[in-house]
């Protein structure tokens, strides 16, 4: 969540049930040169996406085999591949094909961080082990590019070592946990 403190724990990977955005867009037949879409929510939040960003997306009504919980956007939320969850519109009420580009909620407030995800690895734990060893761990995310490697430096960047990654979950837009123990 964008309002969460550094290294907060409001991060999750879920199995979603929904309707592919592509099939809806095909039926709507976008015809403008703008090729942009505005998604609007019941809480007055809105976000504009390039049509191409929505390709492969999902309008989700279920999460982890159950009805989508209210806090995650019941009855319907957008899942835009490779974009941060906080800009994926929850409590979705309207999908509008635009004639011209428009600023979204955050852009109108001067923030321009709603594009595709940049690669991030966060530190969640630092443990002192027996014998003076240190263990660190966290999670990493790179949107639809996936995570194949996380490297850790314990000497200010002079040397780097590969961390151990959790097994990948199905899909290519998921978090991976990482762990590294240093002697």
């Amino acid at each position: 969540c964008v309002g969460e403190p550094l290294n907060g724990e409001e991060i999750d990977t879920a199995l979603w049930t929904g309707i592919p955005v592509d099939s809806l867009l095909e039926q709507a037949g976008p015809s403008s040169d703008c090729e942009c879409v505005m998604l609007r929510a019941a809480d007055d939040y809105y976000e504009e996406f390039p049509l191409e960003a929505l390709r492969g997306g999902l309008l989700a009504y279920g999460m982890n085999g159950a009805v989508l919980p209210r806090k995650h956007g019941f009855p319907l939320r957008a899942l835009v591949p490779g974009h941060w969850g906080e800009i994926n519109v929850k409590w979705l009420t309207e999908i509008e094909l635009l004639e011209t580009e428009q600023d979204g909620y955050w852009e109108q407030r001067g923030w321009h961080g709603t594009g595709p995800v940049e690669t991030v690895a966060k530190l969640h734990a630092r443990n002192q082990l027996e014998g003076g060893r240190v263990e660190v761990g966290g999670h990493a995310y790179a949107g639809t590019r996936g995570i194949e490697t996380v490297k850790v430096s314990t000497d200010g960047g002079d040397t780097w070592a590969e961390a151990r990654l959790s097994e990948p979950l199905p899909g290519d837009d998921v978090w991976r946990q990482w762990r590294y123990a240093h002697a």
Side-chain angles (χ1 to χ4, degrees):
C1 177
V2 72
E4 187 176 38
L6 181 63
N7 288 331
E9 297 178 6
E10 292 293 317
I11 296 164
D12 201 356
T13 296
L15 298 175
W16 302 97
T17 305
I19 302 161
V21 174
D22 290 344
S23 62
L24 212 58
L25 292 173
E26 283 176 27
Q27 289 179 29
S31 59
S32 79
D33 290 336
C34 177
E35 295 198 352
C36 34
V37 179
M38 183 67 77
L39 304 180
R40 297 184 190 280
D43 65 350
D44 293 327
Y45 178 71
Y46 51 95
E47 190 59 59
E48 185 261 343
F49 291 95
L51 190 61
E52 197 55 39
L54 295 177
R55 299 277 182 216
L58 193 68
L59 300 177
Y61 53 80
M63 181 178 167
N64 296 327
V67 172
L68 185 64
R70 171 116 179 90
K71 75 177 190 173
H72 287 285
F74 176 85
L76 190 67
R77 73 169 291 158
L79 294 168
V80 182
H83 286 70
W84 293 110
E86 63 258 13
I87 66 159
N88 285 234
V89 180
K90 299 176 184 175
W91 311 288
L92 190 62
T93 59
E94 182 181 345
I95 300 171
E96 178 186 3
L97 299 172
L98 301 174
E99 295 294 322
T100 59
E101 282 189 47
Q102 296 178 22
D103 285 338
Y105 182 89
W106 290 113
E107 289 81 10
Q108 285 196 357
R109 286 155 179 80
W111 188 61
H112 295 279
T114 60
V117 168
E118 299 293 331
T119 302
V120 63
K122 290 193 172 188
L123 175 65
H124 281 290
R126 183 180 189 276
N127 302 313
Q128 194 68 42
L129 304 176
E130 291 180 13
R133 294 178 49 223
V134 175
E135 174 188 56
V136 292
H139 66 271
Y141 181 59
T144 57
R145 295 178 310 280
I147 294 291
E148 293 181 19
T149 305
V150 170
K151 292 190 177 184
V152 176
S153 176
T154 58
D155 58 12
D158 289 337
T159 61
W160 294 85
E162 218 169 284
R164 190 170 59 174
L165 293 175
S166 62
E167 289 297 316
L169 295 169
D172 57 358
D173 195 4
V174 296
W175 296 93
R176 290 199 57 191
Q177 294 177 329
W178 61 268
R179 175 187 172 276
Y180 177 74
H182 175 63

